[in-house]
């Protein structure tokens, strides 16, 4: 039988424990642990959720990794075509972790209506394009269908549609400069809006219009096997840099690769600060909870001074008595963790389902509601970490037990 654990259980379950002087202090300590866990869970869930959403939106418009001709010089417009006949297309079999490869092309142009005009970046896509992300962003109409003959269906953003005073079913004319000969009249194309999307990412929404890639091939005088670049999606964003290098090494020497972290480094530098904020909140909450538990432990030791003296008189070692109080503290921390997880995960679940909390300035965060994400390993790691760190913090105050002498302790009132 574990004697220390047995004594700790008797101390916890005894009636005198509930009416003792330390009872309100213990409740405060438990509440501090619970509130701290709630704050930590929410900080992790919102920080991770926001990072994931921003990554998803950037990847939806660009893929995780772009493969293009070196002559493009990182231009947003497709300048030099790439042959679609590549070993890695349509499946990148030589690199593990690649989920999807799609061929696209982009061309700058102007949308002209009777009242106004807007600049745009026409993104040509084909039957291989992954529309799964845009299903979430679709606010009106449907997604274009480019599986049949060349057609005029396009997908525009709600931001652009509002500026041009257009809606689903409306048509508009667009103009594109001829490559290499600006003296000739521009290419004129008539498009019909079949769907309107709203990603919340103004930088993309005010620019991108999705069209059939065959329009861009015709205007650029490319054949059907020439495209602007490839967009590659990977399974694990955490391996982005590693997979970028692997893909670069498994493509032709005339092709360049660029991932979205390097292309939009300012955005990813900004969301990288979320990790620091999360770590700061976790550190503060653990310190606050630990200080409250130290206070509770000292009060418990003071309240049980006579018991400590009796145990020492009966031959108990200092470490054995310290373990009694550490077991007691672990029980209290466990209660705090239970309520903290119950409340924190409940709030996260409700936010994920009903999106109750919104950003007051969604344009700064590229999303109108506060996204949340948390996984089971993170929850377990957080709970184990809080328990261990709090107990480590309690080792020092529990040392006071070694200074208590049996004779004075038994006489203590």
């Amino acid at each position: 039988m574990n004697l220390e654990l047995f004594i700790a259980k008797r101390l916890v379950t005894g009636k005198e424990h509930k009416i003792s002087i330390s009872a309100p202090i213990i409740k405060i300590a438990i509440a501090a642990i619970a509130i701290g866990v709630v704050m930590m869970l929410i900080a992790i869930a919102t920080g991770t959720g926001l990072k994931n959403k921003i990554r998803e939106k950037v990847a939806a418009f660009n893929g995780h990794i772009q493969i293009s001709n070196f002559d493009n010089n990182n231009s947003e417009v497709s300048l030099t075509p790439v042959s679609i006949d590549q070993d890695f297309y349509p499946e990148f079999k030589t690199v593990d972790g690649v989920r999807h490869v799609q061929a696209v092309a982009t061309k700058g142009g102007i949308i002209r209506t009777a009242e106004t005009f807007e600049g745009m970046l026409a993104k040509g896509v084909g039957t291989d394009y992954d529309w799964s992300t845009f299903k979430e962003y679709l606010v009106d109409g449907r997604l274009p269908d480019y599986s049949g003959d060349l057609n005029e269906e396009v997908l525009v953003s709600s931001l652009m549609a509002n500026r041009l005073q257009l809606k689903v079913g409306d048509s508009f004319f667009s103009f594109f400069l001829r490559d290499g000969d600006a003296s000739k009249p521009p290419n004129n194309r008539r498009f019909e809006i079949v769907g309107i999307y709203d990603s919340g990412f103004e930088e993309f929404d005010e620019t991108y219009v999705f069209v059939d890639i065959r329009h861009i091939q015709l205007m650029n005088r490319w054949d059907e096997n020439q495209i602007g670049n490839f967009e590659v999606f990977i399974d694990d964003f955490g391996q982005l840099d590693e997979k970028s290098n692997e893909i670069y090494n498994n493509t032709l020497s005339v092709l360049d690769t660029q991932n979205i972290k390097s292309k939009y480094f300012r955005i990813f530098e900004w969301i990288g600060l979320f990790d620091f904020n999360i770590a700061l909140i976790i550190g503060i909450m653990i310190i606050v909870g630990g200080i409250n538990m130290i206070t509770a432990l000292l009060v418990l030791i003071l309240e049980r001074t006579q018991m400590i003296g009796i145990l020492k008189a009966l031959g108990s070692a200092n470490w054995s008595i310290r373990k009694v109080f550490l077991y007691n503290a672990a029980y209290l921390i466990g209660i705090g963790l239970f309520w903290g997880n119950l409340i924190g995960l409940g709030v996260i679940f409700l936010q994920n389902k009903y999106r109750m909390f919104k950003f007051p300035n969604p344009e700064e965060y590229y999303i109108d509601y506060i996204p949340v994400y948390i996984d089971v390993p993170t929850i377990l790691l957080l709970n184990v970490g809080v328990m261990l760190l709090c107990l480590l913090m309690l080792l020092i105050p529990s040392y006071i037990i070694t200074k208590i002498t049996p004779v004075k302790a038994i006489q203590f009132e």
Side-chain angles (χ1 to χ4, degrees), residues 99-399:
R99 173 166 52 87
H100 181 64
V101 182
Q102 58 196 24
V104 301
T106 52
K107 190 174 183 65
I110 295 175
I111 298 175
R112 178 68 179 175
T113 65
E115 290 79 20
T116 185
F117 64 91
E118 283 287 335
M120 69 156 175
L121 188 64
K123 181 164 185 175
V125 301
T127 55
D128 64 344
Y129 195 76
D130 183 7
W131 291 107
S132 58
T133 304
F134 279 90
K135 290 179 180 177
E136 178 186 348
Y137 305 149
L138 194 66
V139 294
D140 194 13
R142 61 173 175 83
L143 295 171
D145 181 12
Y146 302 136
S147 59
D149 295 333
L150 177 66
N151 61 57
E152 290 73 39
E153 295 183 355
V154 296
L155 179 70
V156 303
S157 69
S158 59
L159 178 64
M160 186 173 291
N162 291 333
R163 288 179 178 178
L164 295 168
Q165 299 178 5
L166 296 173
K167 61 183 182 301
V168 171
D170 289 345
S171 299
F172 61 85
F173 287 96
S174 57
F175 302 91
F176 302 87
L177 290 176
R178 295 181 185 272
D179 292 339
D181 193 352
S183 62
K184 290 185 178 181
N187 287 302
N188 186 3
R189 287 291 187 278
R190 178 183 176 276
F191 293 115
E192 179 187 352
I193 300 174
V194 297
I196 296 176
Y197 72 91
D198 183 9
S199 72
F201 218 114
E202 187 173 340
E203 182 177 342
F204 298 139
D205 287 1
E206 67 181 1
T207 305
Y208 280 95
V209 174
F210 291 83
V211 306
D212 192 326
I213 192 172
R214 288 170 288 188
H215 283 291
I216 296 179
Q217 289 172 332
L218 288 171
M219 288 187 288
N220 288 348
R221 298 180 180 179
W222 297 345
D223 61 44
E224 61 181 10
N225 290 326
Q226 290 180 310
I227 54 98
N229 62 280
F230 294 96
E231 293 179 345
V232 181
F233 293 84
I234 60 175
D235 293 321
D236 185 3
F237 188 86
Q239 297 183 324
L240 182 63
D241 293 328
E242 177 186 342
K243 294 302 175 184
S244 296
N245 293 330
E246 284 188 48
I247 289 173
Y248 179 80
N249 293 328
N250 283 272
T251 54
L252 298 175
S253 59
V254 295
L255 298 179
D256 187 24
T257 60
Q258 184 182 32
N259 62 49
I260 54 176
K261 281 176 65 176
S262 59
K263 187 175 182 179
Y264 300 99
F265 65 93
R266 292 181 181 176
I267 293 175
F268 284 92
E269 279 185 354
W270 170 59
I271 64 176
L273 296 175
F274 296 171
D275 294 331
F276 173 77
N277 294 337
I278 292 171
L280 183 63
I281 292 172
I282 291 175
I284 293 173
M285 291 299 102
I286 289 177
I287 291 172
V288 171
I291 291 173
N292 278 274
M293 284 307 305
I294 289 172
T295 303
L297 181 66
L298 291 175
V299 172
L300 284 172
I301 293 173
L302 181 65
E303 194 176 48
R304 298 290 178 176
T305 303
Q306 287 185 335
M307 184 196 76
I308 294 171
I310 293 172
L311 289 174
K312 283 194 172 187
L314 292 174
S316 294
N318 285 323
W319 176 238
S320 177
I321 301 173
R322 290 173 71 183
K323 284 170 64 177
V324 171
F325 289 93
L326 290 175
Y327 281 137
N328 201 342
Y331 170 77
L332 300 178
I333 295 171
I335 295 176
L337 290 174
F338 171 78
W339 287 108
N341 281 279
L342 185 66
I343 297 170
L345 294 176
V347 172
I348 292 170
F349 172 78
L350 292 173
Q351 174 64 12
N352 186 54
K353 188 171 184 179
Y354 300 107
R355 299 178 178 178
M356 303 174 294
F357 303 104
K358 310 282 185 179
F359 282 117
N361 45 351
E363 65 279 355
E364 294 185 9
Y365 292 93
Y366 309 114
I367 190 169
D368 58 347
Y369 69 95
I370 300 176
V372 291
Y373 173 82
I374 197 165
D375 53 15
V376 175
T378 302
I379 297 172
L380 295 176
L381 184 62
L382 178 65
N383 282 270
V384 172
V386 170
M387 176 67 78
L388 292 177
L389 289 174
C390 286
L391 288 177
L392 286 173
M393 293 174 67
L394 295 176
L395 285 176
I396 297 175
S398 69
Y399 183 73

